[in-house]
Amino acid sequence: MKKLTQQDVRGLASYARIGLSDEELPQMTEDLNNIIATLEPILEYNLEGVEPTFHPIGSLSNVMREDVEVPGLTQEQALSNAPAAQDGSFLIPSILGEGGDR
């Protein structure tokens, strides 16, 4: 199997928008070639006539429910269990700087 060159790895990094310094390039080239080498045993299988599988569950399609608009909570209902409310909004403790509730 053909090994990747540093030029190949630089092109891949550029395509994937990965910043790769000149110092990192040799190690990344070695690492990618080692990864590819671990996949070489797959080439030993005769896969002629085997259809590709794109989804592990076959012809499963979208199983989500239909997106149907339903009435939401009124402002009064939404605030009914709030520990504190003010002017129709949730009143929460301030977490930035000095001060009280906001």
Side-chain angles (χ1 to χ4, degrees):
M1 178 170 275
K2 179 186 173 219
K3 291 207 171 238
L4 293 175
T5 65
Q6 287 188 10
Q7 184 177 355
D8 294 331
V9 174
R10 187 171 299 286
L12 287 169
S14 174
Y15 181 75
R17 298 181 186 266
I18 297 172
L20 197 59
S21 70
D22 291 338
E23 294 79 28
E24 296 170 313
L25 186 60
Q27 184 63 51
M28 182 61 73
T29 303
E30 181 181 340
D31 290 346
L32 286 175
N33 279 312
N34 288 337
I35 291 168
I36 292 170
T38 63
L39 299 173
E40 283 183 11
I42 293 173
L43 298 174
E44 296 173 11
Y45 295 101
N46 179 6
L47 300 176
E48 187 175 325
V50 176
E51 292 293 320
T53 302
F54 294 102
H55 196 284
I57 307 178
S59 64
L60 182 66
S61 61
N62 187 357
V63 295
M64 305 288 228
R65 66 172 171 77
E66 291 294 319
D67 189 12
V68 178
E69 185 177 336
V70 295
L73 299 175
T74 66
Q75 186 175 20
E76 184 178 286
Q77 290 170 323
L79 294 172
S80 66
N81 287 325
Q86 180 179 339
D87 300 326
S89 299
F90 293 102
L91 185 64
I92 59 171
S94 177
I95 59 169
L96 300 175
E98 298 292 323
D101 291 336
R102 298 197 177 214

